[in-house]
Amino acid sequence: MPIGEVIAHLDASGVAIEVGPAPRTGALGEMTSVYFRDPDGKPIEVSTYWAAPSDIRDRGVTSAGGRR
């Protein structure tokens, strides 16, 4: 899901974004992240990688983030 759609959903749900969207570097490369808190106050990060999903799969990583 594009990060813009994530942000729109959070906004529509009344969730305050604390940080982001912000560029970051993750295990699979460049990504954009937003940070907010769950109802118990714990921080949550949602990220979208800039590479196409097939590019990420070609690196041997599953959709759950684990190695094949």
Side-chain angles (χ1 to χ4, degrees), residues 18-44:
E18 293 189 2
V19 177
R24 301 278 189 242
T25 301
L28 302 177
E30 301 299 315
M31 62 186 187
T32 301
S33 297
V34 293
Y35 298 83
F36 54 96
R37 295 194 179 266
D38 73 8
D40 293 326
K42 295 181 180 85
I44 304 288

